[in-house]
Amino acid sequence: MLGRQGAGKGTQCIRLSRHFVVPHISTGDMLRAAVREGTELGKMAKAVIDSGSLVGDDIMVGIITERLDQDDARVRGYILDGFPRTVAQAVSLDAVAAKRPIDMVIDLDVPRDLVLSRLSARRMCRDCAANYQATGNESQPWTCENCGGDVVQRDDDTPEAINRRLDLYESQTQPLIDFYGSTGRLVTVDGVGAPDEVFERLTRAVEQRR
Ligand code: AMP
């Protein structure tokens, strides 16, 4: 699924993966796990993520190749969240997934100004990555209603990093809309509205394609 960060993409991908019983594969979650575990990848990725930049294509393609080779990704398909983010990644993905080609790409469409206001209120569970919107009335410490983990603001949700990510989305990721559109794989779904309404649009879009 494509979409600006803050479009509600992560939450909707998790819901879709539960609904269609397929793995949710989020490269952002994988990188954050590597940062938490202090692996070499995590040490390298931390500064890049915090500044709102993109991790190199070769590294990302390596991570996704390994992940798609795991058993759970070979059964009924999967939902990719946050990958690909560049045309080079998309070209590599088609090669990696050649045996079970990527058949549908959703562009979750939310205008930049709306995303900006959602991102500044975004909070995330450190353990299960559930997303929340802060209202200012939450009790502190804030615990996740799914898993009881700590709900915190992401280190990369500073105004500078948010703007950099949105600029990079326009220059690096938006060209994917033409890339997938020209091969008939793109479906644009309106991401403005209540989360349940958007989820309904998404499931309908997937059902129509199956
Ligand atoms: P996300 O959770 O999808 O918003 O990703 C958080 C951060 O991880 C991004 O801002 C990038 O720094 C990095 N990242 C995640 N996926 C990718 C990708 N496919 N290519 C490059 N960087 C990525």
Side-chain angles (χ1 to χ4, degrees), residues 76-149:
R76 314 180 55 237
Y78 43 78
I79 294 177
L80 285 179
D81 171 8
F83 188 94
R85 264 181 160 95
T86 66
V87 172
Q89 291 180 12
V91 170
S92 299
L93 177 62
D94 279 340
V96 170
K99 281 194 194 150
R100 287 173 296 273
I102 302 296
D103 50 12
M104 180 177 184
V105 176
I106 298 175
D107 172 28
L108 187 63
D109 189 26
V110 177
R112 181 171 173 139
D113 52 352
L114 184 55
V115 151
L116 261 175
S117 64
R118 281 193 197 168
L119 277 178
S120 45
R122 175 166 75 174
R123 302 293 182 270
M124 181 187 255
C125 172
R126 229 195 276 272
D127 293 339
C128 75
N131 270 260
Y132 295 91
Q133 287 284 306
T135 59
N137 297 326
E138 294 79 19
S139 54
Q140 297 297 336
W142 185 352
T143 50
C144 175
E145 55 195 56
N146 290 336
C147 74

Side-chain angles (χ1 to χ4, degrees), residues 5 27-28 31-32 53 55 60 82-83 85 89 154 165:
Q5 279 122 323
T27 43
L31 290 170
R32 280 184 289 278
S53 301
V55 175
M60 296 311 303
F83 188 94
R85 264 181 160 95
Q89 291 180 12
R154 280 170 45 163
R165 289 206 306 269

